Amino acid sequence: MTSVELSALLLSLRVASLSLVITLPCAIYIAYILSRKRFWGRGLLNALVFIPLVMPPVVTGYLLLLTFGRNGPIGGLLEGVFGSGIAFTWVGAAIAASVMSFPLMVRPIRQAFDAVDPGLEIAARSLGAGRMKSWLTVSLPLA
């Protein structure tokens, strides 16, 4: 393996790792909310989650570039505060990978939470476990 190939492999691993760290906790939280909670705007949240799958990837990339570019709202802020932007860097690639993979993670996680009986979580809470403990010890492992 040449140094160029090794460099490309390490870059891919770095982008994938950061993307996973960014996406997984958010995907678990949103999937749980969409599975268990009933609130106004639930349908809108569901639609927003799946927009990257519906739009062409070029449009998604363009919107990310507008947002995180030097003249964009987030990119301009980062440029002013830190002196460097994230567009066209490996961090920008990780954010793009996170945006594109987010709906692909939310859907199966949500289906897993849908398959868990909410009564088990209620039973754990009736036995003295708090919300977080019942979620961590019952819902999450079963999902």
Side-chain angles (χ1 to χ4, degrees):
M1 186 177 297
T2 66
S3 65
V4 174
E5 292 168 339
L6 183 61
S7 174
L9 179 64
L10 291 176
L11 178 63
S12 296
L13 289 173
R14 195 178 341 163
V15 167
S17 299
L18 183 59
S19 175
L20 181 67
V21 167
I22 292 170
T23 308
L24 187 60
C26 297
I28 290 172
Y29 178 73
I30 295 295
Y32 183 76
I33 294 292
L34 288 172
S35 174
R36 292 282 197 258
K37 306 294 182 190
R38 302 292 176 247
F39 56 92
W40 184 89
R42 184 172 176 260
L44 179 64
L45 178 61
N46 193 36
L48 285 174
V49 165
F50 291 103
I51 279 179
L53 288 181
V54 177
M55 288 192 318
V58 172
V59 175
T60 305
Y62 181 68
L63 291 175
L64 285 171
L65 190 55
L66 286 178
T67 304
F68 292 102
R70 290 180 187 230
N71 297 327
I74 297 174
L77 178 69
L78 292 173
E79 184 80 27
V81 172
F82 298 111
S84 67
I86 58 172
F88 303 110
T89 64
W90 74 271
V91 175
I95 291 172
S98 296
V99 168
M100 294 305 294
S101 66
F102 186 71
L104 299 172
M105 293 178 83
V106 169
R107 179 137 174 93
I109 295 170
R110 180 181 176 187
Q111 289 174 340
F113 280 124
D114 286 343
V116 175
D117 182 13
L120 296 173
E121 198 172 327
I122 293 168
R125 295 202 49 219
S126 72
L127 293 172
R131 283 181 186 258
M132 184 60 94
K133 186 170 183 180
S134 66
W135 185 79
L136 286 172
T137 59
V138 176
S139 296
L140 188 61
L142 289 174

